[in-house]
Amino acid sequence: MIDKRKTNNNLDWVIILLYGVFVSIGLLVVYASSHDDSRPFFDTRQLYIRQLIWVCTSIIIASFILVTDNKIYTTFAYFIYAAVLIMVIGVFFFGHEVNGNKNWFEIGSFQLQPSEFAKFSVALVLAKYLGNQNNNLKSNKTKMVSLALIFFPALLIQLQGDTGSTLVFLSFFLVLYRFGLPGEFLALGLGVLTLSVFSLLIDKFTLIAILFIMAGASLYFIKRTKVAYFVIAGLFICASLYVTTTNYVFNHVLRSHQQERIKVLLGQEVNVKDADYNVRQSKIAIGSGGFLGKGPLHGTLTKYNFVPEQHTDFIFCTIGEEYGFLGTTLFVSLFLFLLIRILSLAERQRSKFSRIYAYGVASILFFHFLINIGMTIGLAPVIGIPLPFISYGGSSLWSFTILLFILIKLDADRLAVLR
Amino acid sequence: MDTLASRRKVLQMVFYIIATVFVLRLLFIQVLNKNYKQLANNNVLRKVTLYPSRGLIYDRNGKLILFNQAEYDLLVVPGQIKKFDTLNLCNTLGLEISNFKKELFKAYKYSRFKPTVIVKGIQSELYAQLQEDLFLYPGFYAQVRMVRTYPIAAAAHVLGYISEVTLKQIDKSDGYYQQGDYIGTGGLEQYYEKILRGKKGVKYVLVDVHNREQGAFNEGQMDTLAIPGINLHSTLDIDLQQYGEKLMQGKVGSVVAIDPSTGEVLAMISSPTYDPRLITGRERGKNFSKLYADSLKPLFVRPLKASYPPGSIYKPLLGLIGLQEQAILPSSTYSCAGAYSVGSSRVGCHHSGFVNNIIEAIQHSCNAYFCMSFRKMVDNNKYKTVAQGLDSWKSYLSSFGIGVRMKTDLPGVGYGFIPGSDYYNEIYGVGHWNSLTIVSLGIGQGEIGLTPLQMANEMTAIANHGWFYTPHLVKKVDDDTSTVLKIFKEKNIIPIEKKWFDVTVEAMKEVVEAGTGQIAQIPGLTMGGKTGTAQNPHGKDHSLFICFSPVVDPKIAIAVIVENAGFGASYGAPIASLMIEKYLNDTISTPRKYLEQRMFEADLIHNKFQQTPVH
Ligand SMILES: [Zn+2]
């Protein structure tokens, strides 16, 4: 009943093309920020060659997803979820410790990070669970189970010391919101996010003063009941506490091993106590690109390694420095286009499973986009998560490829789904 | 599901808003804010100054007397060190291992990636050995540095030295000097700084995050080459200078020798001198403080700055002025009673007897004769007051370069001191002094002071019968465009008739042939001269002698001052004549060898009461 040709006929070539564009940009900027001219061009120690290998294997994986039956994901979602969890737990016993993070498997000279795969498995399992007509997010039981499905892998990953990957799981709140979680949760989440951003940008006492004025003003506009007083006072106190502690948390808790990495990388050269070093260098690199950029492979800060981890988490600097405001704007627009395209894909799905899954994909990609680029331009805290399809790294490329191509496969088969 | 479906719009809106915020932020960082460009350049661009080689200095015979020599510093980048044979390296360099390790540790603590100088001032010969093995010591590099080198340890005061610029000099240089640059200090190094230093070049290089050089910036389009300094040809005869310094050993004083036909300074000695090599290189700071603290002030440039009462060597000048002013005639006589006494004033004279003419007066250095002559000159009826007479006298002396600052090409040329009417008006009040008050000026004592350079210039002007070129120390600059030497080609004419000079030269010839300066006689050479004794209120008098030779078409004029050495004939005349003999004959004649030996050996500094040699 399901015709193979039908799949091919309905493939969303726009998204596949976008994927191709992003992966190519990724190869180019990884080359720019990591090539070592003292070694031969085709040397597997050159990171771009390794990235090329990852791209090729990703294409094989993508093709495999497109030709296999989508029932693997719809039927075996729980099974896949369990399998990934076992892999993540396995890292505790057989894992390889890198930079204080014990979340790698070593296969030859390549490394695999199971936590990356937890993302799509959670997206699948949420789709499966919430796709069931019996589960409605209005019920407390469904809320609890959904949160448990999200937070269990998140907790395991946090235990491995990878705070960045853990925070990515917050993105599933967007999915829960879309499918019925009360709006206050999202408002709260957005409020926290806004506060974080402002607390990085504005002096904290000024910010508290602004909050105080806002609290007073809101009392003026709404009905002044006892409850309203308590809620607003409570919100103000929480927000003020958050603002005063957030910098401390970012500087001292979240970044502690990030600092270690810089220390290792730079020796005594840089005042490592200055946790803003990464962001400062990153902003300098991007800012120095100007309107048109310095041109491909002409980024001097990129070439001479001024931004630590530039081929992974700070890859956006290379785009900023070499391609300027034109390049970054184009990139942001392309990414926005991808996200919006995924949303419209989501809405055209007949099955609830596919739709929820699509929202999962969009949320994960958005969160990476938000945090990664936000961090390089000083709008978000330094949390080490990759820029999808661009940053160097096999596990993340594989994981994003799987994430996206399962959606493409589900979308292609959408007409075959019985209502 | 209507409300839930609208949540898609909310999410879409969030995506749009975030993307817009990012683009606005990027617009601010990349387009509107220009600071980041500068910061990026600060990160990767290093301005490297290229230092030109400093100009060389030759003596008048083409001998190199100041040049640059390569010295090497050993640098270490601790992060690049691999295991190496410490003992071997220390042996090559002659270092103590424990010290070396301490230095290495210090460098390591300073920076693992920045180079630190670990051994300074390695000489070329040693470096040649080290260079062969340097590949055995990864992380160690040699850096060449040019050091001013004096091949002959002489003429320290004339040549000067270079030292690090002070903040004041940096401020005054319109941005040319930077901290750590060197600048000429004293002597020709200072006076000709702008010619010798050349022009610095600049090179922009790109560096990586570890400060390692990665190549030229902008293909070197902003780089400029260093332009080497220009060479100077000095007027000094370095052999004569060295000989003079040897003669002046153990004595405090000055010698200035000038070629009268050109004004070129052949030798300029300030004693005690110092080895100019002491204040270059590694021990510079220590040696400098030692020289600075020395009570004999070896750093003081006596020929230019020390001012002595000229005593009798100024009598020929007074004679010339008196003759020109018709205060006396060549045939004026005077009966000397061993003193010049008018009223309560009395100026003693070591001589007594009848003076037949001015020649005899100079020959025997009769104080009384010149007191008479001086008073007659300033009290001349030509002048309404003694003040006018004195000022006229002063202006005659100025024409000899005395009491004024000559434009000699060295820093710190002194004025000496010639008092004018204003000086005495200040002390005594207008109209409250007369020629008798200031009669000691008639014998070159009292307030009057001449620098050794001025004494030598007086001798030059007399030897030339009335003219001189400003004494100078550079005869040629290796650069066609330079006009610095132009003033040394301008003849200075003394406003005194030549016939009076003829008389004076005749008298000075007599001084050497039959007067107080007989010890200066050199077989086969004609010579004019004048002995002098400068009164010294602080101790034994200073011995002065000026002379020139030959009398016709003179080749050398010289002034010698030996402090605390007594009468002019005791040290001044022997040293001056030995230098002339050396310069004109190249050797010292056998009968005068004993004199030379005695001058070499005399140590007035450590044995102040050595017996005055008899003649
Ligand atoms: Zn007399």
Side-chain angles (χ1 to χ4, degrees):
Chain A
M1 160 183 170
I2 296 165
D3 187 356
K4 283 273 157 40
R5 274 172 298 160
K6 221 169 190 175
T7 301
N8 293 335
N9 289 342
N10 290 313
L11 277 182
D12 191 276
W13 286 104
V14 174
I15 288 199
I16 295 177
L17 188 68
L18 279 173
Y19 173 81
V21 168
F22 279 124
V23 167
S24 308
I25 294 174
L27 272 177
L28 183 63
V29 290
V30 165
Y31 175 81
S33 48
S34 72
H35 69 106
D36 181 352
D37 290 334
S38 66
R39 292 196 167 133
F41 187 84
F42 291 107
D43 184 328
T44 52
R45 280 171 301 181
Q46 296 272 28
L47 294 182
Y48 58 89
I49 293 293
R50 290 173 160 237
Q51 184 74 354
L52 189 64
I53 294 169
W54 291 118
V55 168
C56 293
T57 49
S58 293
I59 291 169
I60 294 168
I61 291 170
S63 314
F64 179 77
I65 291 170
L66 290 183
V67 297
T68 49
D69 195 325
N70 71 38
K71 281 215 177 66
I72 296 180
Y73 321 111
T74 53
T75 313
F76 299 112
Y78 288 114
F79 184 77
I80 292 170
Y81 180 73
V84 170
L85 281 187
I86 288 167
M87 260 167 64
V88 171
I89 293 167
V91 172
F92 282 106
F93 303 103
F94 311 108
H96 180 75
E97 192 170 316
V98 176
N99 300 336
N101 291 352
K102 194 176 178 180
N103 52 9
W104 302 85
F105 280 132
E106 260 201 326
I107 306 154
S109 65
F110 289 91
Q111 291 160 334
L112 212 59
Q113 200 177 0
S115 53
E116 282 293 334
F117 300 98
K119 291 172 204 165
F120 89 87
S121 72
V122 171
L124 276 178
V125 86
L126 267 187
K128 179 78 180 174
Y129 177 69
L130 293 176
N132 188 326
Q133 300 298 329
N134 302 325
N135 298 327
N136 187 314
L137 273 168
K138 288 206 171 85
S139 88
N140 280 336
K141 185 199 159 216
T142 310
K143 273 182 209 155
M144 296 312 287
V145 173
S146 305
L147 289 178
L149 287 173
I150 295 167
F151 280 121
F152 187 56
L155 184 71
L156 289 178
I157 290 164
Q158 177 59 51
L159 286 177
Q160 289 166 2
D162 189 352
T163 315
S165 295
T166 308
L167 289 172
V168 173
F169 289 87
L170 285 177
S171 62
F172 288 108
F173 273 92
L174 290 178
V175 181
L176 298 182
Y177 165 74
R178 170 63 185 83
F179 293 98
L181 196 71
E184 288 82 0
F185 285 90
L186 192 72
L188 202 66
L190 278 178
V192 170
L193 209 62
T194 319
L195 268 186
S196 325
V197 170
F198 278 106
S199 69
L200 289 175
L201 298 180
I202 310 176
D203 166 62
K204 58 188 175 192
F205 294 108
T206 320
L207 194 55
I208 289 171
I210 292 170
L211 286 173
F212 186 77
I213 292 166
M214 278 169 62
S218 58
L219 274 179
Y220 183 81
F221 287 112
I222 62 167
K223 231 195 288 172
R224 272 163 279 181
T225 62
K226 240 183 197 166
V227 180
Y229 277 119
F230 272 116
V231 169
I232 286 173
L235 279 176
F236 171 71
I237 289 166
C238 288
S240 306
L241 276 176
Y242 181 76
V243 167
T244 44
T245 53
T246 181
N247 270 324
Y248 178 83
V249 172
F250 287 142
N251 289 337
H252 295 89
V253 182
L254 291 182
R255 291 190 194 163
S256 63
H257 75 262
Q258 198 94 19
Q259 286 182 8
E260 288 299 313
R261 284 193 239 171
I262 300 169
K263 214 177 204 168
V264 171
L265 207 66
L266 298 184
Q268 304 297 313
E269 189 72 334
V270 170
N271 182 7
V272 290
K273 288 195 184 75
D274 185 355
D276 291 332
Y277 176 81
N278 274 20
V279 179
R280 203 169 56 233
Q281 291 297 342
S282 155
K283 279 199 286 190
I284 290 172
I286 293 172
S288 69
F291 186 73
L292 289 172
K294 296 176 186 169
L297 306 183
H298 281 85
T300 41
L301 274 76
T302 298
K303 215 163 20 177
Y304 304 137
N305 307 322
F306 277 88
V307 187
E309 312 192 5
Q310 197 170 349
H311 57 288
T312 58
D313 298 345
F314 282 88
I315 194 80
F316 188 68
C317 298
T318 310
I319 299 176
E321 194 187 10
E322 300 193 346
Y323 303 94
F325 178 64
L326 220 57
T328 53
T329 306
L330 192 67
F331 183 83
V332 168
S333 310
L334 269 181
F335 212 96
L336 178 66
F337 181 49
L338 175 71
L339 293 173
I340 298 301
R341 183 78 192 172
I342 292 172
L343 286 194
S344 65
L345 240 67
E347 294 300 332
R348 75 186 186 199
Q349 299 306 314
R350 288 184 192 174
S351 95
K352 201 177 177 195
F353 176 91
S354 302
R355 198 170 335 138
I356 296 171
Y357 181 77
Y359 270 94
V361 175
S363 304
I364 292 169
L365 290 180
F366 171 68
F367 192 84
H368 276 266
F369 170 75
L370 174 75
I371 296 298
N372 184 285
I373 295 184
M375 139 184 118
T376 60
I377 57 180
L379 288 181
V382 177
I383 296 167
I385 58 172
L387 188 57
F389 314 117
I390 309 294
S391 287
Y392 169 80
S395 305
S396 81
L397 187 60
W398 273 14
S399 128
F400 286 119
T401 304
I402 293 168
L403 188 73
L404 190 66
F405 274 83
I406 288 177
L407 173 66
I408 294 170
K409 174 68 179 169
L410 289 172
D411 175 62
D413 292 345
R414 67 185 183 274
L415 297 175
V417 174
L418 294 170
R419 281 215 174 216
Chain B
M1 291 296 274
D2 257 3
T3 52
L4 285 188
S6 71
R7 287 185 175 185
R8 174 202 173 187
K9 296 262 184 311
V10 174
L11 290 183
Q12 245 178 27
M13 197 52 71
V14 170
F15 291 179
Y16 276 115
I17 289 171
I18 294 299
T20 310
V21 167
F22 281 179
V23 170
L24 288 176
R25 174 73 171 174
L26 286 165
L27 180 74
F28 176 74
I29 294 182
Q30 297 190 284
V31 182
L32 301 179
N33 192 332
K34 302 286 176 208
N35 279 346
Y36 291 108
K37 272 218 167 71
Q38 190 53 52
L39 288 170
N41 282 346
N42 289 351
N43 263 349
V44 293
L45 270 191
R46 293 284 176 281
K47 191 175 154 186
V48 179
T49 308
L50 303 172
Y51 287 94
S53 62
R54 207 172 162 82
L56 313 180
I57 302 181
Y58 298 90
D59 93 331
R60 66 185 296 108
N61 300 314
K63 267 196 194 173
L64 194 55
I65 52 176
L66 186 51
F67 69 107
N68 308 303
Q69 203 171 26
E71 243 184 47
Y72 299 83
D73 290 343
L74 189 66
L75 287 85
V76 65
V77 179
Q80 299 173 355
I81 295 181
K82 300 218 172 80
K83 219 172 165 222
F84 70 97
D85 191 343
T86 324
L87 183 67
N88 202 20
L89 181 61
C90 287
N91 279 347
T92 312
L93 293 171
L95 300 171
E96 233 174 272
I97 288 202
S98 58
N99 276 343
F100 180 76
K101 283 189 172 159
K102 228 186 275 166
E103 289 296 316
L104 205 57
F105 184 66
K106 252 196 254 167
Y108 187 85
K109 268 173 60 184
Y110 165 65
S111 167
R112 283 171 55 206
F113 297 104
K114 282 186 192 163
T116 308
V117 175
I118 190 156
V119 186
K120 261 193 197 168
I122 301 168
Q123 301 294 313
S124 311
E125 307 84 56
L126 190 56
Y127 175 69
Q129 291 175 39
L130 177 69
Q131 201 182 16
E132 287 173 23
D133 298 344
L134 209 55
F135 75 95
L136 293 171
Y137 314 110
F140 288 90
Y141 303 94
Q143 192 178 57
V144 68
R145 202 157 51 90
M146 298 311 273
V147 178
R148 277 308 233 190
T149 310
Y150 304 79
I152 299 160
H157 297 96
V158 173
L159 296 173
Y161 53 94
I162 55 171
S163 61
E164 263 185 55
V165 283
T166 60
L167 288 177
K168 224 167 135 190
Q169 286 167 330
I170 294 173
D171 287 344
K172 278 168 75 181
S173 73
D174 285 326
Y176 184 82
Y177 296 108
Q178 294 164 311
Q179 209 150 6
D181 282 0
Y182 282 83
I183 188 170
T185 308
L188 297 176
E189 290 271 41
Q190 180 177 336
Y191 192 89
Y192 289 101
E193 167 69 11
K194 282 189 179 164
I195 288 175
L196 287 170
R197 74 184 180 192
K199 196 160 179 292
K200 286 190 288 189
V202 77
K203 189 175 81 167
Y204 292 92
V205 294
L206 292 165
V207 295
D208 73 358
V209 69
H210 299 316
N211 215 12
R212 291 181 295 226
E213 228 175 271
Q214 299 290 330
F217 173 69
N218 211 355
E219 279 143 20
Q221 283 175 15
M222 287 158 73
D223 299 0
T224 54
L225 283 174
I227 298 166
I230 295 163
N231 300 342
L232 298 180
H233 297 265
S234 164
T235 61
L236 284 184
D237 180 324
I238 199 67
D239 296 334
L240 184 66
Q241 174 83 20
Q242 230 180 338
Y243 181 68
E245 286 182 14
K246 199 172 168 199
L247 287 171
M248 288 297 285
Q249 258 174 21
K251 304 157 195 77
V252 177
S254 300
V255 177
V256 177
I258 297 174
D259 178 346
S261 63
T262 56
E264 291 170 1
V265 175
L266 303 170
M268 182 180 277
I269 295 152
S270 183
S271 188
T273 184
Y274 60 94
D275 183 344
R277 289 179 275 204
L278 288 177
I279 50 180
T280 63
R282 270 200 255 190
E283 303 283 297
R284 151 164 222 285
K286 212 174 79 189
N287 289 333
F288 194 85
S289 352
K290 220 194 262 170
L291 289 171
Y292 196 79
D294 192 328
S295 62
L296 291 169
K297 297 201 219 157
L299 294 171
F300 184 54
V301 188
R302 290 179 164 80
L304 303 179
K305 292 181 179 160
S307 174
Y308 304 90
S312 304
I313 64 161
Y314 137 94
K315 284 174 185 159
L317 288 179
L318 201 52
L320 280 165
I321 299 168
L323 290 169
Q324 177 68 22
E325 289 282 294
Q326 291 171 333
I328 50 169
L329 291 169
S331 55
S332 294
T333 60
Y334 190 77
S335 179
C336 175
Y340 180 79
S341 305
V342 175
S344 61
S345 296
R346 185 179 186 276
V347 176
C349 184
H350 47 85
H351 142 279
S352 62
F354 192 75
V355 182
N356 283 308
N357 51 35
I358 188 157
I359 293 179
E360 277 187 29
I362 290 174
Q363 186 186 346
H364 300 296
S365 200
C366 179
N367 284 348
Y369 188 95
F370 285 101
C371 288
M372 172 274 292
S373 164
F374 174 71
R375 285 193 67 203
K376 272 193 168 167
M377 190 257 138
V378 295
D379 287 338
N380 200 323
N381 288 334
K382 256 164 88 172
Y383 306 113
K384 290 195 188 92
T385 61
V386 64
Q388 275 183 14
L390 185 71
D391 289 340
S392 170
W393 164 81
K394 186 178 168 174
S395 91
Y396 275 111
L397 290 176
S398 302
S399 69
F400 282 90
I402 294 168
V404 294
R405 201 181 71 84
M406 284 194 284
K407 294 198 168 69
T408 297
D409 49 354
L410 284 174
V413 174
Y415 284 80
F417 184 74
I418 301 297
S421 59
D422 45 354
Y423 177 83
Y424 291 106
N425 284 341
E426 182 94 349
I427 297 177
Y428 301 108
V430 181
H432 292 278
W433 55 278
N434 57 38
S435 62
L436 202 55
T437 324
I438 57 173
V439 71
S440 73
L441 293 178
I443 57 162
Q445 307 289 4
E447 294 83 4
I448 183 170
L450 267 66
T451 66
L453 179 67
Q454 286 167 336
M455 297 177 192
N457 197 54
E458 169 200 339
M459 193 66 266
T460 299
I462 295 172
N464 284 339
H465 295 254
W467 57 268
F468 67 94
Y469 290 113
T470 302
H472 54 281
L473 285 120
V474 169
K475 55 191 285 187
K476 194 177 148 218
V477 175
D478 265 355
D479 165 25
D480 301 329
T481 62
S482 180
T483 55
V484 283
L485 302 182
K486 233 175 91 186
I487 52 159
F488 304 131
K489 302 275 185 279
E490 289 162 13
K491 217 179 219 184
N492 300 282
I493 311 282
I494 312 273
I496 292 174
E497 280 172 73
K498 185 175 171 293
K499 60 181 177 187
W500 306 136
F501 279 103
D502 297 344
V503 172
T504 308
V505 166
E506 189 59 32
M508 292 182 84
K509 214 172 112 189
E510 284 303 308
V511 169
V512 178
E513 275 174 12
T516 51
Q518 291 175 43
I519 194 170
Q521 286 171 14
I522 304 164
L525 286 176
T526 54
M527 185 190 282
K530 184 76 195 80
T531 56
T533 309
Q535 280 179 357
N536 175 16
H538 310 293
K540 207 174 167 192
D541 291 346
H542 305 319
S543 168
L544 308 179
F545 191 69
I546 56 172
C547 64
F548 67 100
S549 179
V551 173
V552 179
D553 197 7
K555 292 274 180 290
I556 179 170
I558 191 166
V560 177
I561 297 90
V562 184
E563 290 186 16
N564 313 111
F567 182 57
S570 58
Y571 286 95
I575 289 172
S577 66
L578 283 166
M579 285 193 66
I580 288 179
E581 192 173 9
K582 177 83 180 171
Y583 180 67
L584 294 178
N585 291 352
D586 213 33
T587 49
I588 304 302
S589 54
T590 322
R592 283 166 54 83
K593 282 272 186 202
Y594 83 99
L595 194 64
E596 181 188 43
Q597 201 53 38
R598 212 167 54 195
M599 287 303 125
F600 282 160
E601 284 165 5
D603 186 347
L604 307 184
I605 293 171
H606 301 102
N607 183 10
K608 288 199 170 179
F609 303 107
Q610 192 185 21
Q611 280 216 320
T612 308
V614 241
H615 60 269

